[in-house]
Amino acid sequence: MIKVEQVYKTYINKHRNFLFFSETRQTEAVCGVDLYVNPGEIVGLLGMNGAGKTTLIKMMSTLLSPTSGTITIDGMDVVKDALKVKSIVNMIAGGERMLYFRLTGRQNLEYFGNLYGLRGSLLKDRINYLLSKVGLEKAADTPVERYSKGMKQRLQIARGLINDPKYLFLDEPTLGLDVSVAKRLREFVQELVHREGKGIVLTSHYLEEIEELCDRVYIANNGRIIMHDTPKNLVFNITHGNVLNIVVPEINDKLNNNLRTLIELHNANIEISSNEEGILISIKSKKDITTEVVQTIYNSNVNLISLYIEKPKLEDAILQLENGVA
Amino acid sequence: MKNLMTIFMAEFKKSHFLYFHTNMIYFSLLVWPIILFFSAYYSFKPFDTKSENVLSEYVSNQEIGSFLLIGYLGYIFYFSLMQSAFQMAPERARGTLELIFLSPVSRLAVIYGRAMANLLEGVWLFFVFTVLGLFFFGDIQPHNWWGIPLSLFLLIISAVVWGGFLNAIFLFSRDAGFFFLIIQEPLLLFSGVRIPIPVLPIWGKFISYLFPLSYVLLIYREIVMRGASLFEVSTMIYSLLVVIIVFILLTSWIIRKAEKNSKINGSMALY
């Protein structure tokens, strides 16, 4: 289990002003973060740019040390037992870096496998297994510089799995990939978790990806975790549930009064506007009150032109958080 | 030991495919040092080394060819490792340096494996040229043939240690390129590549003995050109070993410090 307890990270960097003059600047990237990741689950890390997601991932993967607080992975401290931790974690970042372009896919995997002490038939078998898993068997002996973006990203995934890590950090793994390749990668990530029991920390700007893959999500802002829950609960809690949209030709006094009573009863919000079809009534409620609303319209002798339910997505929730609505 | 060999072979293969991928590179690795050698040789020619010239006390007119060939052989060994250290910059830029440090691999093994791989790829052509040059035109003492492999061994070891040191410096700073530019000319001038160290003033001699190359060239020339015995060069060999140990300790310290620094300010990812 990955356990992050009261972790702070402050970068101290020199900022050059002019000629030989410089000043030291402190940037608080992570402030008092607590989180945990169990093996066999995918945990999402969401936040705006500069929220501290990559810093957190780098600290968990031993590349950065926390300024204070502790991070343990299966009981091993990432600072004191860094070498032991390194053998059970790996990181995959999006984009086209982190590969040797003049080497073939196989040569890249051989090199990175060697760094983890793998060699001989063990390494060969592992490489063949991973290449087939990411669908690169045919391109295995082609230099990476001739790969498409999707192929490079798939090779990155294979590279990140070369040491069969127990915990994997995925930092924007589908960045810039087309829809079908991204979908295949998501399926593969699910397989890693559900079949192989790996613990995965995922950051992504594609919120649908987080919603689809993650068991739990942490939302970071300015280096702090401001919310933590399942994607479904987060959406529900932030956006206050579904939006029921009803179009009617008119609103009489009876309907108006009945709807207001219903809204008050369920602590919901109502917005009335007009569109091409008629009058649009949008009701936002934590509880599903579709039946009651339809019944009220019927009892008020008003015809119903159309009805549809808008289910908010994680993206809506994050936007609301950003706008300070929540 | 098996792990060290694995890392060495991994670095060797990687360097080969990354930096030595065309025959033109090998061609340039032969032509460039030969041009350097002839440029130095013909620079000496117009100067009088026969009579009371201070240089003639240490290198006779007949010995200039051999003297320079050995000097440039050593210099090319060391210089090729400077080039290998420069390749740390692309490692940073492509993010692979961070991946190396993400793994539990021995950092010293990577650094020395990398240096050794680049050395062997970078110098073998000029080495063949030098051996042939010494054989056909040099004044080698026949009874000291054993000295050639010994000197070569010392040259390789010291060059790899030097290369490891330079690679480690590049770990420390992405702007280390300036250091190499500063060190390149003093290495050529003070380590006895073109000018015998005894000719240098005291302060120059002091700088000379900071470079392991100075000791190797002295040993090499004493054995190959003057026919010195192992006993006669033993002091120099011991001095070289001390310098090598100091450089290994320094390299190890720099790597640890660089990794620690990088963990504090994330500098390994900057390029």
Side-chain angles (χ1 to χ4, degrees):
Chain A
M1 180 179 166
I2 300 175
K3 219 170 169 184
V4 177
E5 291 173 297
Q6 276 302 297
V7 163
Y8 288 79
K9 179 67 188 177
T10 306
Y11 290 112
I12 301 170
N13 293 315
K14 266 191 179 176
H15 179 77
R16 191 164 289 283
N17 289 330
F18 179 68
L19 288 175
F20 304 110
F21 302 102
S22 60
E23 59 177 311
T24 304
R25 285 185 184 174
Q26 287 196 4
T27 313
E28 284 198 338
V30 172
C31 312
V33 165
D34 292 288
L35 67 82
Y36 67 93
V37 182
N38 291 311
E41 72 169 346
I42 310 179
V43 169
L45 202 49
L46 273 182
M48 325 329 149
N49 286 331
K53 305 184 297 285
T54 302
T55 299
L56 252 175
I57 279 194
K58 285 193 173 178
M59 284 194 286
M60 287 188 271
S61 61
T62 73
L63 283 173
L64 287 173
S65 51
T67 307
S68 67
T70 56
I71 301 175
T72 56
I73 298 185
D74 286 353
M76 296 178 287
D77 189 281
V78 294
V79 178
K80 290 175 198 153
D81 308 308
L83 282 183
K84 285 181 191 164
V85 171
K86 282 171 192 289
S87 61
I88 60 163
V89 301
N90 213 324
M91 184 178 70
I92 297 163
E96 297 188 49
R97 293 169 70 230
M98 297 191 160
L99 291 168
Y100 294 104
F101 279 23
R102 279 185 170 158
L103 269 60
T104 65
R106 192 186 300 281
Q107 285 166 343
N108 266 284
L109 295 180
E110 274 172 5
Y111 175 75
F112 289 110
N114 287 156
L115 293 183
Y116 286 89
L118 300 173
R119 55 178 170 263
S121 58
L122 185 70
L123 177 61
K124 204 174 163 188
D125 293 346
R126 182 83 189 142
I127 289 172
N128 287 335
Y129 166 75
L130 290 172
L131 286 171
S132 73
K133 273 284 167 199
V134 297
L136 284 175
E137 308 106 303
K138 284 182 186 167
D141 299 308
T142 303
V144 173
E145 59 195 356
R146 292 193 201 145
Y147 280 21
S148 68
K149 200 179 246 184
M151 289 163 84
K152 283 174 192 150
Q153 194 56 41
R154 279 185 278 158
L155 184 62
Q156 276 268 31
I157 302 260
R159 198 268 311 143
L161 293 167
I162 194 73
N163 60 325
D164 196 11
K166 194 172 173 187
Y167 299 97
L168 196 55
F169 302 101
L170 304 178
D171 195 6
E172 310 274 354
T174 54
L175 190 72
L177 294 185
D178 63 44
V179 181
S180 61
V181 177
K183 188 173 184 297
R184 279 208 298 277
L185 281 184
R186 286 201 292 274
E187 286 165 0
F188 185 53
V189 168
Q190 277 176 323
E191 196 184 314
L192 288 174
V193 173
H194 299 129
R195 284 203 193 157
E196 299 186 24
K198 297 189 188 304
I200 292 183
V201 179
L202 169 72
T203 76
S204 176
H205 277 112
Y206 304 123
L207 300 180
E208 283 176 5
E209 188 167 273
I210 297 269
E211 207 165 0
E212 181 188 332
L213 291 176
C214 296
D215 300 300
R216 289 183 295 114
V217 175
Y218 288 88
I219 299 178
N221 189 28
N222 287 329
R224 290 182 171 79
I225 299 294
I226 52 172
M227 287 197 101
H228 162 226
D229 214 322
T230 62
K232 202 176 167 185
N233 286 347
L234 278 175
V235 172
F236 189 78
N237 290 331
I238 298 170
T239 61
H240 304 301
N242 300 340
V243 179
L244 175 65
N245 292 299
I246 297 158
V247 181
V248 291
E250 53 167 343
I251 298 182
N252 57 29
D253 289 344
K254 192 177 179 188
L255 176 60
N256 195 23
N257 292 336
N258 289 344
L259 275 179
R260 300 285 170 193
T261 311
L262 189 68
I263 295 304
E264 272 180 34
L265 186 70
H266 293 287
N267 199 21
N269 293 318
I270 185 166
E271 272 179 32
I272 299 175
S273 59
S274 59
N275 67 12
E276 290 167 356
E277 288 180 284
I279 296 168
L280 172 68
I281 305 167
S282 300
I283 299 168
K284 193 187 263 187
S285 166
K286 281 190 175 179
K287 193 187 161 198
D288 185 4
I289 54 170
T290 312
T291 314
E292 289 93 327
V293 171
V294 171
Q295 189 68 50
T296 304
I297 292 170
Y298 178 76
N299 292 341
S300 306
N301 296 320
V302 173
N303 292 330
L304 186 66
I305 296 175
S306 66
L307 178 151
Y308 62 94
I309 297 168
E310 227 177 279
K311 285 192 172 176
K313 293 184 173 177
L314 192 56
E315 188 171 342
D316 302 309
I318 297 298
L319 282 172
Q320 283 199 21
L321 263 185
E322 262 194 74
N323 295 333
V325 174
Chain B
M1 194 60 198
K2 224 175 181 180
N3 267 345
L4 283 180
M5 276 312 290
T6 305
I7 295 304
F8 166 68
M9 285 311 294
E11 285 295 331
F12 192 86
K13 274 167 84 173
K14 183 183 84 178
S15 299
H16 178 73
F17 288 109
L18 273 181
Y19 313 123
F20 301 93
H21 47 93
T22 67
N23 292 337
M24 278 303 288
I25 290 174
Y26 288 109
F27 179 70
S28 69
L29 286 171
L30 175 65
V31 170
W32 171 69
I34 290 176
I35 292 171
L36 274 185
F37 163 72
F38 279 111
S39 152
Y41 183 78
Y42 287 105
S43 300
F44 272 100
K45 274 284 170 189
F47 297 100
D48 173 24
T49 53
K50 288 174 190 163
S51 55
E52 287 170 5
N53 187 314
V54 67
L55 206 58
S56 64
E57 287 179 38
Y58 304 99
V59 190
S60 71
N61 219 19
Q62 294 76 29
E63 287 177 324
I64 284 182
S66 308
F67 179 86
L68 288 176
L69 263 181
I70 292 171
Y72 272 101
L73 177 68
Y75 177 68
I76 296 305
F77 268 59
Y78 276 58
F79 188 78
S80 71
L81 288 165
M82 222 179 270
Q83 287 176 316
S84 120
F86 266 116
Q87 296 300 339
M88 277 296 202
E91 290 268 12
R92 258 175 200 276
R94 67 169 84 91
T96 44
L97 186 62
E98 219 176 15
L99 289 181
I100 293 171
F101 277 79
L102 180 68
S103 77
V105 69
S106 154
R107 280 69 174 126
L108 264 182
V110 170
I111 290 287
Y112 286 131
R114 190 186 162 83
M116 178 71 107
N118 280 279
L119 178 71
L120 296 184
E121 289 261 27
V123 302
W124 69 269
L125 265 178
F126 187 69
F127 172 71
V128 171
F129 169 80
T130 307
V131 170
L132 291 176
L134 285 172
F135 185 78
F136 287 112
F137 310 110
D139 185 22
I140 302 173
Q141 305 298 314
H143 57 277
N144 277 341
W145 282 107
W146 57 266
I148 294 181
L150 173 73
S151 313
L152 185 64
F153 174 75
L154 291 175
L155 179 55
I156 290 172
I157 295 296
S158 70
V160 168
V161 169
W162 172 254
F165 171 69
L166 297 180
N167 275 294
I169 286 178
F170 230 111
L171 286 182
F172 211 87
S173 167
R174 58 179 160 164
D175 301 318
F178 80 93
F179 174 76
F180 299 154
L181 291 173
I182 289 174
I183 215 166
Q184 182 185 342
E185 202 54 37
L187 179 72
L188 193 59
L189 182 66
F190 293 108
S191 55
V193 174
R194 292 182 302 200
I195 301 165
I197 293 168
V199 174
L200 297 171
I202 296 287
W203 60 268
K205 283 183 185 136
F206 176 76
I207 296 172
S208 288
Y209 292 117
L210 295 177
F211 295 115
L213 180 59
S214 309
Y215 302 86
V216 179
L217 290 182
L218 282 172
I219 294 165
Y220 215 120
R221 284 174 179 141
E222 283 301 311
I223 290 175
V224 175
M225 291 169 61
R226 314 253 193 268
S229 68
L230 193 58
F231 177 75
E232 284 171 296
V233 290
S234 59
T235 313
M236 273 295 147
I237 291 176
Y238 290 135
S239 307
L240 175 66
L241 290 178
V242 170
V243 173
I244 283 175
I245 290 167
V246 169
F247 267 88
I248 291 173
L249 293 174
L250 197 58
T251 304
S252 173
W253 179 79
I254 290 173
I255 292 171
R256 277 203 306 274
K257 189 88 179 153
E259 191 169 4
K260 196 178 168 192
N261 252 19
S262 153
K263 282 184 173 190
I264 291 171
N265 56 32
S267 57
M268 204 72 84
L270 305 176
Y271 54 93

